[in-house]
Amino acid sequence: MADFMEKAMNFVSEKVGNMEKPEADITDFDLKKVSMDSISYHAKVAVKNPYSVPVPIMQISYTLKCSGRVIVSGTIPDPGNIKANDTTILDVPVKVPHSMLVSLGKDIGKDWDIDYKLELGLAIDLPVIGNFTIPLSHSGEIKLPSLSDLWNGDKEEDTEN
């Protein structure tokens, strides 16, 4: 009987391990809004669901690093579901206080940009498997708004091309 149970457990483990899982990619990270106290950036995340049922997203965690330092981090609880047999585009807002950007003076330099690394964890609830986190990472340069953008008050930029 123990031999049968072991074979059954191995069979189930193999099948679950080979199950197709959702895949995700950060497709864009752009300036969204400039206010007097902060700059808001938005990451676009494309999540492909191979299942015939929607998959709930438990939370999205994010960390924005510049020059190896954590600039801002946070979580977005219960942001919704991933559509069944489709790709869902998630919008992940990242709000950076101006005080944190000022502390990065050396990296800003002449070209008025900051090298960054955005790390996301997409925690989802998969059928049969349970909670599963998709780790994502995206690096690039953040273009900072000009001083005239800051003096003109709140400003929204169109990020759709």
Side-chain angles (χ1 to χ4, degrees):
M1 183 70 161
D3 190 39
F4 174 73
M5 288 300 288
E6 185 177 331
K7 285 181 182 179
M9 299 255 311
N10 287 339
F11 176 79
V12 170
S13 293
E14 184 179 315
K15 292 299 177 189
V16 169
N18 292 331
M19 267 180 69
E20 193 173 8
K21 296 175 186 72
E23 297 175 359
D25 187 38
I26 300 172
T27 60
D28 197 16
F29 186 67
D30 279 328
L31 174 70
K32 184 69 173 180
K33 181 179 179 182
V34 176
S35 68
M36 292 305 286
D37 65 339
S38 64
I39 300 174
S40 295
Y41 294 92
H42 285 227
K44 299 277 187 217
V45 180
V47 187
K48 181 182 175 194
N49 180 2
Y51 304 127
S52 60
V53 296
V55 173
I57 304 170
M58 308 304 285
Q59 79 173 16
I60 299 172
S61 58
Y62 61 87
T63 301
L64 180 63
K65 296 178 180 179
C66 296
S67 299
R69 295 187 317 179
V70 174
I71 299 304
V72 66
S73 64
T75 59
I76 302 168
D78 194 22
N81 292 320
I82 305 167
K83 298 175 198 167
N85 290 320
D86 202 359
T87 298
T88 301
I89 304 297
L90 302 173
D91 189 31
V92 181
V94 177
K95 189 174 182 179
V96 181
H98 291 308
S99 60
M100 291 306 297
L101 294 175
V102 170
S103 71
L104 297 171
K106 290 179 187 175
D107 191 40
I108 294 173
K110 298 177 196 172
D111 55 359
W112 208 240
D113 66 21
I114 298 174
D115 296 327
Y116 73 89
K117 182 175 185 179
L118 176 65
E119 297 172 344
L120 296 177
L122 188 63
I124 56 179
D125 186 14
L126 293 178
V128 181
I129 297 174
N131 290 348
F132 177 77
T133 300
I134 302 172
L136 300 167
S137 180
H138 184 76
S139 297
E141 289 182 343
I142 297 174
K143 288 291 184 190
L144 296 176
S146 68
L147 291 175
S148 64
D149 292 337
L150 298 176
W151 289 113
N152 290 332
D154 287 350
K155 174 185 172 188
E156 297 237 4
E157 283 198 6
D158 180 18
T159 59
E160 294 182 26
N161 294 328

